[in-house]
Amino acid sequence: TKFQEENIREDFETFTFQSTFNRDKLNSIYSNLDTVSFYKLMMEKDDLVSKGYNSKLLEEKRHFYLSLPFFLVLMVCLSVIFTLNSNERRQKTYYLILSIITCALVFYFKNFSIALGTTERIPLIIAVWSPVIILSLFCSVGIIQINEK
């Protein structure tokens, strides 16, 4: 709406303005999969695909949510392994440094694996579950080692 000097009003059908954002940028703000809950992802997958979400990324996020409890349990198991292996005070600092380095490596390996899956270098399901499988192998070896002591 535009008012002229004599208070005469003009109506316009469209309004055009210059912006640094385009339609794709604005739509990508609302297509963040981190805001989608696990329940909504499981129950309304077809609805999310019709809203414009990528079906492969929805599948990756679903497997991520399914693997998360296993990953967290294995991380606790890993911390138990480092805690129960140390007896002396000098060994405790060694295991503390080793555990911090190991946790950082696991974190970066998990992100690297997801990045490989997102770029389709490896299948998405393998990308999501491979850190869990490798961590479970590492934890099982550590638990067997503790059990032998």
Side-chain angles (χ1 to χ4, degrees):
T1 304
K2 180 181 173 184
F3 292 102
Q4 294 179 351
E5 293 176 12
E6 296 94 27
N7 290 332
I8 299 173
R9 191 175 102 172
E10 279 186 52
D11 289 328
F12 297 103
E13 293 294 321
T14 59
F15 182 71
T16 307
F17 62 95
Q18 297 296 324
S19 174
T20 57
F21 293 102
N22 58 15
R23 182 178 227 175
D24 294 331
K25 270 189 179 180
L26 289 174
N27 286 337
S28 70
I29 292 171
Y30 298 107
S31 66
N32 187 1
L33 279 177
D34 293 332
T35 61
V36 177
S37 69
F38 177 67
Y39 178 76
K40 189 172 183 178
L41 185 63
M42 296 300 281
M43 296 300 168
E44 301 174 6
K45 182 180 178 186
D46 295 331
D47 188 36
L48 291 172
V49 170
S50 68
K51 286 182 180 178
Y53 286 95
N54 188 348
S55 61
K56 285 186 178 184
L57 293 178
L58 288 173
E59 192 69 22
E60 175 195 346
K61 198 59 147 173
R62 184 174 75 98
H63 281 284
F64 173 77
Y65 281 139
L66 290 173
S67 69
L68 187 62
F70 297 107
F71 182 76
L72 294 176
V73 166
L74 289 170
M75 288 301 286
V76 169
C77 179
L78 187 64
S79 68
V80 167
I81 290 169
F82 285 124
T83 305
L84 293 178
N85 270 340
S86 62
N87 294 331
E88 301 173 7
R89 181 162 178 84
R90 184 176 175 183
Q91 263 189 335
K92 286 183 182 180
T93 53
Y94 168 72
Y95 278 117
L96 178 69
I97 293 170
L98 184 66
S99 65
I100 291 172
I101 291 171
T102 304
C103 288
L105 288 175
V106 167
F107 172 78
Y108 286 118
F109 175 69
K110 185 174 181 182
N111 285 344
F112 179 67
S113 176
I114 295 294
L116 285 177
T118 304
T119 58
E120 297 180 354
R121 304 271 179 172
I122 59 175
L124 281 173
I125 295 173
I126 294 173
V128 172
W129 285 97
S130 63
V132 174
I133 293 169
I134 291 172
L135 196 57
S136 65
L137 293 173
F138 186 73
C139 287
S140 63
V141 168
I143 289 174
I144 290 171
Q145 199 176 43
I146 290 173
N147 198 18
E148 287 177 356
K149 286 184 180 182

